[in-house]
Amino acid sequence: MTDSMHFPPDFTWGVATSAFQIEGAADLDGKGPSIWDTFSRQSANIKDGSNGDVACDHYHRYREDVALMAGLGVDAYRFSMAWSRVQPDGKGAWNEQGFDFYARLLDALDEKGISAHLTLYHWDLPQGLQDEGGWLARDTAYRFADYAAEVTRRFGHRLASIATHNEPWCTANLGYGNAQFAPGVRDARQAIQVSHHLLLSHGLAMRAMRALKPRARLGIVLNQWTSDPATASEADHALAELEWARSVQWFMDPIFKGRYPELALRAHGADAPQVLEGDLEIIQGPLDFLGVNYYFRHYASAETPPRSAPALLGTTDMGWEIYPQGLTELLVKLKGEYTLPPIYITENGMASPDRLEAGQVNDSLRIRFVEQHLAALKEAMDLGVDVRGYFMWSLMDNFEWNSGYAKRFGIYYVDYATQQRIPKASAHWYRDFVAAQRGQRRAA
């Protein structure tokens, strides 16, 4: 290991998952349906015709899965709570059996000395709230704050951190903009209004949680990327600037500056969101941390058809360009534009066409991907960006949203017929990497 890969002694190493992608037990123990239950049960919505009813059966196998984490030697586990498991309709009565599951999961993590990092919302809105308008309805933001407060009241003393949302860009743009994700709406104006209600819900939830004075650090997780012009043309440069404004700044500016970016507002025109007086004051507020998910950069081309990114290091099984230096560029750019709290890389990883051969999975491409991105992360830290931890996406193969089970992001291979978890070469690599970092801690 080179000196450049020596991370601070207190740096957090973790793995990440989300509730709908792994839990299964879709209708068990009082759980209500979510929009992803509804969406994935319409087989035309999912590329392999599957659904999330069973997923990785983590609901029954959580102890086994926590043991896998312990075997990796990681410090931390980032996961999400299924809102409809603990509040079946998204309002009204709480489901104690649902809360009991998460209490048992926290017990198992405690037993292994693994800190728990909870995300309140990873895209699985209770269907009951969707039936009343979903995130297009302003009232949903207030229901989310009620949910956040109840979870914090019960578990805030047991959690290392609580994130309000995971990737609200996806909730808005893939769920309401192009219908790729639940609830399957294709309407640009709705997507933009939904993005505002998501930010409002974040602000309301932060206020509700802060009032309870939890031990947990509070923040949000955003998927982010730089946007590079494909050529030196004025059109490509303008497109790159607009992409940065309507993706990264669209969520960062309200939280950190109390306003929406003017460039994006002008571009949205009549589709700009309805913002009520006081909304931006609610949204803007201090974060204890910012979660950043990074997978690829945006490549801005005004040509028709647009130029493809050069992908000099190849692409992932999702077709995404492998571009590790974009992580350095992103973090440094964020530091230049905002006064930031500590950052955690809350997701980073790749889908690869993994094959189980003679009981083993040799995913050397994934190992190289992670090595390159950790080097890029360390470079950003050396340039002064305050990054406190890294969470690998994902602990295990799982239900990859509208791709179904066809795409594998895990460092553990899941045989879905038997639910057997099999460590890939990347799991062994990550275990050894974390152990080497620990060795440096002891030496220090």
Side-chain angles (χ1 to χ4, degrees):
M1 187 184 301
T2 64
D3 287 344
S4 65
M5 292 288 268
H6 288 184
F7 286 80
D10 58 352
F11 195 80
T12 294
W13 297 101
V15 289
T17 67
S18 85
F20 189 79
Q21 293 181 272
I22 66 168
E23 282 183 3
D27 303 313
L28 202 63
D29 294 338
K31 178 185 174 294
S34 77
I35 57 174
W36 268 98
D37 290 309
T38 301
F39 188 77
S40 71
R41 287 168 183 167
Q42 301 170 47
S43 60
N45 291 330
I46 311 301
K47 291 175 184 176
D48 64 0
S50 64
N51 60 51
D53 286 2
V54 176
C56 303
D57 196 30
H58 173 74
Y59 188 80
H60 297 108
R61 299 169 186 267
Y62 69 92
R63 288 191 177 277
E64 174 188 348
D65 294 336
V66 171
L68 298 181
M69 299 173 214
L72 293 170
V74 295
D75 307 299
Y77 175 45
R78 176 179 174 246
F79 64 101
S80 73
M81 182 175 286
W83 184 353
S84 65
R85 193 177 295 285
V86 300
Q87 193 180 34
D89 296 321
K91 62 179 184 179
W94 302 104
N95 179 30
E96 295 303 327
Q97 288 177 291
F99 279 121
D100 286 348
F101 166 70
Y102 294 107
R104 294 194 302 272
L105 174 60
L106 291 176
D107 289 342
L109 292 167
D110 286 344
E111 289 168 11
K112 299 295 186 182
I114 298 170
S115 64
H117 295 255
L118 176 68
T119 303
L120 290 169
Y121 187 79
H122 200 127
W123 308 347
D124 47 353
L125 187 74
Q127 183 62 44
L129 289 181
Q130 184 62 37
D131 292 343
E132 296 181 2
W135 287 111
L136 191 60
R138 185 181 171 90
D139 186 63
T140 299
Y142 293 87
R143 303 290 71 74
F144 179 74
D146 293 342
Y147 160 59
E150 183 66 15
V151 172
T152 302
R153 185 182 68 78
R154 291 174 182 251
F155 295 137
H157 62 294
R158 301 191 63 184
L159 297 165
S161 75
I162 303 174
T164 53
H165 285 275
N166 177 79
E167 302 185 348
W169 183 96
C170 292
T171 304
N173 291 286
L174 304 185
Y176 284 83
N178 65 16
Q180 279 184 243
F181 284 5
V185 176
R186 192 185 305 274
D187 186 311
R189 187 171 192 173
Q190 286 193 36
I192 295 163
Q193 186 64 50
V194 161
S195 70
H196 176 66
H197 289 162
L198 291 164
L199 282 164
L200 176 64
S201 77
H202 159 77
L204 291 166
M206 290 291 286
R207 289 189 174 189
M209 293 189 292
R210 289 254 187 250
L212 295 166
K213 297 180 169 57
R215 180 179 75 90
R217 299 184 299 277
L218 306 179
I220 191 171
V221 171
L222 303 175
N223 56 318
Q224 299 185 325
W225 47 80
T226 55
S227 184
D228 296 337
T231 72
S233 75
E234 186 177 329
D236 285 358
H237 276 272
L239 194 60
E241 188 178 355
L242 176 59
E243 173 63 21
W244 177 256
R246 66 187 178 191
S247 59
V248 175
Q249 290 178 327
W250 187 257
F251 292 94
M252 292 286 285
D253 279 16
I255 293 170
F256 291 102
K257 298 180 178 180
R259 62 175 187 261
Y260 282 107
E262 280 298 324
L263 179 59
L265 283 174
R266 288 199 305 271
H268 290 324
D271 289 342
Q274 181 185 29
V275 179
L276 301 190
E277 186 175 353
D279 283 2
L280 289 165
E281 287 78 8
I282 292 169
I283 294 167
Q284 184 183 18
L287 303 182
D288 300 327
F289 74 94
L290 172 66
V292 172
N293 295 351
Y294 176 79
Y295 290 99
F296 51 78
R297 66 168 169 173
H298 180 263
Y299 199 64
S301 172
E303 298 175 16
T304 304
R307 291 195 189 195
S308 298
L312 299 179
L313 297 176
T315 60
T316 72
D317 201 31
M318 299 295 288
W320 300 340
E321 181 191 27
I322 298 172
Y323 194 72
Q325 72 196 71
L327 179 55
T328 311
E329 294 165 357
L330 169 66
L331 293 173
V332 170
K333 189 169 184 178
L334 292 176
K335 183 177 185 292
E337 286 196 19
Y338 303 97
T339 301
L340 297 170
I343 290 173
Y344 289 81
I345 303 304
T346 34
E347 287 182 28
N348 176 242
M350 71 173 286
S352 94
D354 300 325
R355 298 288 180 269
L356 183 63
E357 297 174 346
Q360 297 183 327
V361 180
N362 180 18
D363 59 338
S364 57
L365 292 175
R366 179 175 289 108
I367 294 171
R368 182 67 180 144
F369 179 100
V370 176
E371 284 181 320
Q372 291 169 330
H373 283 78
L374 287 176
L377 174 59
K378 187 59 168 57
E379 183 180 350
M381 293 169 67
D382 291 343
L383 291 170
V385 183
D386 183 8
V387 183
R388 304 286 181 87
Y390 175 90
F391 291 81
M392 176 97 70
W393 185 271
S394 174
L395 173 65
M396 58 189 163
D397 298 333
N398 52 51
F399 182 82
E400 183 48 38
W401 308 110
N402 67 326
S403 296
Y405 299 100
K407 303 297 183 184
R408 294 181 178 268
F409 275 87
I411 58 173
Y412 280 87
Y413 183 93
V414 177
D415 180 334
Y416 294 110
T418 65
Q419 290 295 346
Q420 184 182 6
R421 282 83 156 121
I422 301 161
K424 303 178 187 180
S426 58
H428 298 305
W429 178 88
Y430 195 41
R431 177 200 63 199
D432 293 346
F433 181 87
V434 171
Q437 295 291 327
R438 288 257 171 76
Q440 293 163 29
R441 292 182 192 180
R442 287 194 293 270

